[in-house]
Amino acid sequence: MTKKKASSSPIRHVVRLFSRLTIFLCVLLCLLAFLMLHHSQSKLQTPIFPSPTTRRLRDDHHFEGPSKIAFLFLVRRDLPLDFLWGAFFKNGDEAKFSIYIHSEPGFVFDETTASSAFFYGRQLKNSIQVVWGELSMIEAERLLLDKALDDPANQRFVLLSDSCVPLYNFSYIYNKVMSSPKSFVDSFLDAKERRYNPKMSPTIPEEKWRKGSQWITLVRRHAEIIVDDDIIFPVFRKFCKRRRRPPINSMKRRQLLNFLAIDFRFLFPWLKHHNCIPDEHYVPTLLAMRGLEGELERRTLTYTSWNQSAMREKRRSWHPITFDYADANPHKIKEIKDINHVYYESEHRTEFCRINSKLSPCFLFARKFTCRAAIRLSNEGLLSPYITHTISNTRPWMTSLNLKRKGNQDM
């Protein structure tokens, strides 16, 4: 009996040690579970943004002279319609505007690449290579805004492409833009295209996800918020990506996958694609996250004509209609200028165009116009007569440089 008790003692010791180890592990696991639960609950709360006051030390309130509009051109290489814009700026007050251009790295605007001295040396020194539909578009916009914010006189910021044209003269556009205390940012719910990626949550909740035109007009405070953002931008970098179009010979297979994704996506979530175009979502989503939609006119000042064809393939085209010589006629320009409201189907909302509560034409600019179309606009006096007169006086230089350019494709 004595030997049996002696042999059982080590077993009880092992059991006791194992029990203590089990209790320790259980307590540790409970503690870890508590910490994870606390962390997940804190993440579900609305993200805490920095103070509305920009972190950058900019002298926003001390400048002499009138407030300026910063015209920000986002272009591929050169500016094909520089002759038209040169005439536009020539008939304006140089103390009321500034010009910044984001072009491909290394491209220089001088007398050999531009027909107007207004654009000489206006390119950014730190430009990047931009690819349509990718995050580099947002990065280029932020670079333009960042550079323009260095001038405290710049109080409004207008983003334009290399195919945009002004629909009115400088003084009209200046007075309209400066008279509004709000930014003009196209912003609406994206209810159909499934571009929101749930992995963006909780930093970007789905109810704050917005879509809109890339071509924005901002007040200074909103421009600073975009440049200083380091919360929403990293989420876009990680989760908002453009999905490449499939080859033509795989369209039937992709249509089948799309069918399955619609019917069974709750069982097979990996079939669900999130084809996210960053430049159409970043600014309106960021400003919605900051609770600033009340400070916006939720529309763009730049007219774009999207394909309204009944054919599904054309209707889904990612690129807008390009206006060539035949399309730039008096009827079409008048039609654009007469638009006074915009309908947002996803929100069942009709936005009547107002500036300071007064009805106003919706659009001050339009795109996508080719060089030939811009020349017709000037020849037939379809823009301001001041612009037409200025162009006619400089036409020999314009024709030698610009008539060789083919129809441009902007960003």
Side-chain angles (χ1 to χ4, degrees):
M1 294 294 291
T2 304
K3 291 182 180 179
K4 187 175 181 180
K5 289 180 180 179
S7 62
S8 62
S9 179
I11 296 175
R12 286 199 299 271
H13 179 72
V14 171
V15 171
R16 194 176 298 113
L17 182 63
F18 180 77
S19 299
R20 290 176 179 173
L21 182 61
T22 302
I23 293 172
F24 174 76
L25 290 174
C26 289
V27 172
L28 182 62
L29 289 173
C30 289
L31 181 61
L32 290 173
F34 174 77
L35 291 175
M36 291 177 65
L37 179 62
H38 178 73
H39 179 66
S40 63
Q41 287 178 342
S42 63
K43 286 180 66 178
L44 289 174
Q45 297 176 356
T46 302
I48 300 176
F49 288 93
S51 168
T53 303
T54 178
R55 295 187 302 273
R56 298 173 182 267
L57 299 177
R58 303 187 192 272
D59 188 8
D60 292 353
H61 305 291
H62 300 87
F63 63 91
E64 297 180 358
S67 297
K68 295 181 184 178
I69 296 178
F71 291 86
L72 314 177
F73 290 91
L74 181 57
V75 307
R76 293 179 184 271
R77 185 175 169 82
D78 62 351
L79 189 57
L81 309 186
D82 55 3
F83 63 94
L84 189 65
W85 283 102
F88 171 81
F89 290 123
K90 188 172 183 179
N91 287 284
D93 184 346
E94 291 191 43
K96 293 182 177 181
F97 67 86
S98 51
I99 301 169
Y100 303 87
I101 307 174
H102 185 286
S103 182
E104 68 176 24
F107 188 84
V108 177
F109 281 80
D110 55 26
E111 62 276 4
T112 66
T113 58
S115 65
S116 172
F118 283 109
F119 303 104
Y120 295 174
R122 299 294 184 175
Q123 72 281 349
L124 299 189
K125 301 290 192 298
N126 59 339
S127 64
I128 61 173
Q129 192 64 48
V130 174
V131 179
W132 178 85
E134 297 188 1
L135 195 77
S136 55
M137 294 282 280
I138 299 177
E139 292 174 325
E141 292 175 22
R142 282 161 54 109
L143 287 172
L144 281 166
L145 289 169
D146 188 43
K147 180 63 176 176
L149 283 168
D150 287 340
D151 184 350
N154 289 332
Q155 295 295 310
R156 299 293 187 273
F157 304 80
V158 178
L159 184 65
L160 299 161
S161 76
D162 53 13
S163 71
C164 284
V165 299
L167 295 174
Y168 301 92
N169 62 31
F170 177 85
S171 61
Y172 182 91
I173 289 177
Y174 180 87
N175 291 334
K176 286 291 185 181
V177 171
M178 295 303 301
S179 65
S180 175
K182 296 185 176 183
S183 292
F184 294 84
V185 177
D186 200 33
S187 177
F188 55 91
L189 299 176
D190 180 26
K192 294 183 177 180
E193 298 186 64
R194 303 201 312 272
R195 292 184 178 180
Y196 176 78
N197 190 335
K199 293 180 180 179
M200 293 179 175
S201 179
T203 306
I204 305 176
E206 187 170 7
E207 63 268 18
K208 295 295 186 180
W209 184 249
R210 299 289 186 270
K211 182 181 178 183
S213 169
Q214 175 186 7
W215 312 107
I216 54 179
T217 298
L218 302 171
V219 298
R220 187 174 180 91
R221 189 169 86 90
H222 296 163
E224 290 173 339
I225 288 172
I226 292 169
V227 170
D228 292 328
D229 168 45
D230 57 6
I231 295 177
I232 303 303
F233 185 73
V235 177
F236 268 75
R237 182 187 295 278
K238 188 172 183 179
F239 297 115
C240 185
K241 301 179 184 295
R242 176 170 67 98
R243 178 167 53 89
R244 302 284 182 176
R245 282 182 176 272
I248 296 177
N249 58 7
S250 66
M251 284 299 293
K252 290 185 178 180
R253 181 178 60 184
R254 184 54 56 90
Q255 289 172 358
L256 176 61
L257 288 176
N258 287 339
F259 171 77
L260 293 175
I262 292 173
D263 285 350
F264 304 110
R265 60 180 178 268
F266 61 94
L267 294 176
F268 307 106
W270 55 87
L271 290 176
K272 191 174 182 178
H273 297 286
H274 303 282
N275 184 38
C276 185
I277 311 298
D279 55 83
E280 294 183 356
H281 295 276
Y282 173 66
V283 172
T285 298
L286 170 62
L287 297 180
M289 288 293 301
R290 294 297 301 261
L292 297 173
E293 289 184 305
E295 299 180 12
L296 308 178
E297 295 286 354
R298 293 175 61 189
R299 59 183 177 88
T300 179
L301 292 177
T302 302
Y303 173 81
T304 304
S305 178
W306 295 95
N307 199 326
Q308 300 299 316
S309 170
M311 296 177 62
R312 184 177 181 182
E313 292 78 8
K314 291 185 178 181
R315 190 170 65 248
R316 292 172 59 87
S317 172
W318 283 340
H319 289 284
I321 292 174
T322 297
F323 292 96
D324 206 343
Y325 186 90
D327 309 303
N329 56 70
H331 174 75
K332 185 61 183 179
I333 299 304
K334 183 179 184 304
E335 181 182 285
I336 296 173
K337 288 184 174 183
D338 287 345
I339 296 174
N340 63 3
H341 70 278
V342 182
Y343 177 69
Y344 293 93
E345 182 180 0
S346 63
E347 298 180 353
H348 305 289
R349 170 172 63 96
T350 298
E351 188 81 11
F352 282 92
C353 301
R354 294 181 173 87
I355 296 180
N356 268 347
S357 302
K358 296 180 180 179
L359 286 175
S360 176
C362 289
F363 303 110
L364 302 180
F365 312 96
R367 58 186 283 265
K368 303 174 51 173
F369 284 76
T370 65
C371 223
R372 285 160 45 85
I375 291 172
R376 180 177 182 181
L377 292 178
S378 64
N379 286 342
E380 300 189 12
L382 299 180
L383 303 178
S384 165
Y386 300 106
I387 297 178
T388 302
H389 174 72
T390 304
I391 292 176
S392 65
N393 290 338
T394 59
R395 182 155 291 130
W397 170 248
M398 178 195 75
T399 54
S400 65
L401 182 64
N402 289 286
L403 290 182
K404 297 179 181 179
R405 297 172 178 172
K406 295 181 180 179
N408 50 301
Q409 293 290 325
D410 71 347
M411 292 294 183

